[in-house]
Amino acid sequence: MSTLSACASQGHDSDETLPTYTPPAWMAEVRAQNEEYANAGVACLAAHGVEGTADNGTFGISYGPQSQGALTHMTDEEADALLTECSESLSLPDYVNNSADEEYDRVLDLRECVIAQGYDMPDAPSREVWTEQWERTRDAWVPYYHEMTLDPDGLERHKVTVEEMNRLQSICVPSTVGATTVSR
């Protein structure tokens, strides 16, 4: 699958010097919890004789040339069942149970981090509007979802490349609400 790449307002390739920015401590904590979760998922797959991959707090099954030991002996349904089994056997990271207020504060931090990477971002909705949306549908405004990847209805193509999204997420680590997976 190819992705459609479009430049955001500025992006990290701008000639402008970006302001010094230090991500909040919670992002490092989320990154560590995501890594632990993904590595546990890969270990679960390995226990079933399947090679796994870990990326941005998610894990999956390696597909590729047979000579590299990649999955060749399972149907898609079997692979999906194994992924589900491994996912259900793991404890979710602690941050998954954050309150709406905590998630809103993290969305604001995420917005500031993305801005520090050279992107223009609109103001976030008010805490009241955001919290009501999140509590009702879990589909509240997040910079990655609503400004950089798919629109809420999933109709648009990616506005940044997969590589750029992965770079941003390695610096501006999303919490539960901000987590998004971009694949090739």
Side-chain angles (χ1 to χ4, degrees):
M1 169 170 51
S2 62
T3 57
L4 229 165
S5 176
C7 297
S9 313
Q10 293 173 318
H12 79 285
D13 294 329
S14 171
D15 291 336
E16 297 175 33
T17 303
L18 296 177
T20 302
Y21 176 79
T22 303
W26 69 260
M27 286 187 185
E29 293 167 11
V30 166
R31 183 181 299 111
Q33 289 179 34
N34 285 345
E35 186 174 321
E36 183 179 330
Y37 176 80
N39 289 338
V42 169
C44 177
L45 294 173
H48 287 85
V50 175
E51 183 180 343
T53 60
D55 187 34
N56 281 337
T58 63
F59 64 92
I61 295 177
S62 298
Y63 288 88
Q66 191 171 13
S67 63
Q68 295 177 359
L71 179 66
T72 57
H73 63 281
M74 297 176 87
T75 65
D76 287 343
E77 293 79 19
E78 291 169 329
D80 288 344
L82 179 56
L83 286 169
T84 298
E85 178 184 330
C86 286
S87 294
E88 290 175 353
S89 74
L90 301 176
S91 297
L92 293 173
D94 293 338
Y95 67 81
V96 171
N97 296 313
N98 286 343
S99 69
D101 277 340
E102 189 171 7
E103 279 302 310
Y104 181 76
D105 292 340
R106 288 181 174 200
V107 165
L108 296 180
D109 287 345
L110 184 61
R111 178 184 173 275
E112 291 305 312
C113 187
V114 171
I115 289 170
Q117 294 302 305
Y119 288 92
D120 289 332
M121 284 281 129
D123 290 337
S126 71
R127 182 178 298 271
E128 180 181 32
V129 167
W130 189 92
T131 300
E132 189 274 326
Q133 287 177 331
W134 187 72
E135 288 177 344
R136 186 171 35 90
T137 66
R138 297 289 194 241
D139 185 27
W141 183 89
V142 174
Y144 287 142
Y145 286 156
H146 294 93
E147 304 304 329
M148 305 183 86
T149 60
L150 298 175
D151 67 22
D153 297 322
L155 301 175
E156 294 182 19
R157 297 279 184 215
H158 297 293
K159 296 176 185 176
V160 297
T161 64
V162 170
E163 293 78 13
E164 176 62 1
M165 182 60 74
N166 288 335
R167 183 193 76 79
L168 283 169
Q169 287 187 346
S170 72
I171 297 165
C172 303
V173 180
S175 186
T176 306
V177 149
T180 186
T181 302
V182 180
S183 60
R184 292 181 200 271

